[in-house]
Amino acid sequence: DHYQVSLPSTSSFPMEKYRYIREALQRELEAAGKATFHESPLASIEDLTTVHDGEYVRRYLANELSHKENRRIGFPWSEAGKLRALSSTGGTVAAMHAVCRPGGARFAGHIASSLWPSL
């Protein structure tokens, strides 16, 4: 929720709920010593092209998608939206790395709305 995307007033997407959920969990779990919260890193091009077509990723990042392609994503393209998508994906990848490395966390998760599944 570090990257806020301005959505049209007609949008029903509950952007703020992700911040509220994180704040509530962070208050409860960090205070009890049960979790540590970290800001999500931005996903790398390598992370993205592992599962998405490289040319599509390039065009998304450069705001070169067609109107139809942007409509499929469901949000108007913006620099803030791009950063939110990279942060959302990067946080998921970071959580996976946290549990997969030797001696890493037993559990990890990521609280966000990913804009990438539609890609």
Side-chain angles (χ1 to χ4, degrees), residues 18-76:
Y18 296 97
R19 181 174 56 85
Y20 297 143
I21 292 168
R22 188 222 2 114
E23 288 173 347
L25 288 171
Q26 194 167 6
R27 266 191 315 274
E28 183 176 331
L29 298 176
E30 278 192 330
K34 294 181 178 180
T36 303
F37 286 70
H38 305 276
E39 185 174 341
S40 297
L42 299 181
S44 69
I45 298 298
E46 182 182 4
D47 291 334
L48 301 174
T49 57
T50 298
V51 295
H52 299 292
D53 176 71
E55 179 61 14
Y56 188 86
V57 168
R58 185 200 67 72
R59 290 187 312 110
Y60 172 76
L61 295 175
N63 189 21
E64 294 176 0
L65 294 181
S66 69
H67 178 72
K68 183 178 178 180
E69 289 169 316
N70 269 319
R71 283 191 51 85
R72 284 187 50 216
I73 292 171
F75 295 95

Side-chain angles (χ1 to χ4, degrees), residues 52-118:
H52 299 292
D53 176 71
E55 179 61 14
Y56 188 86
V57 168
R58 185 200 67 72
R59 290 187 312 110
Y60 172 76
L61 295 175
N63 189 21
E64 294 176 0
L65 294 181
S66 69
H67 178 72
K68 183 178 178 180
E69 289 169 316
N70 269 319
R71 283 191 51 85
R72 284 187 50 216
I73 292 171
F75 295 95
W77 192 96
S78 68
E79 187 67 23
K82 176 180 84 171
L83 292 173
R84 182 173 169 76
L86 292 173
S87 174
S88 182
T89 303
T92 301
V93 172
M96 180 271 306
H97 284 295
V99 296
C100 290
R101 71 174 166 262
R106 290 180 58 205
F107 302 97
H110 184 241
I111 305 165
S113 166
S114 176
L115 306 183
W116 287 95
S118 297

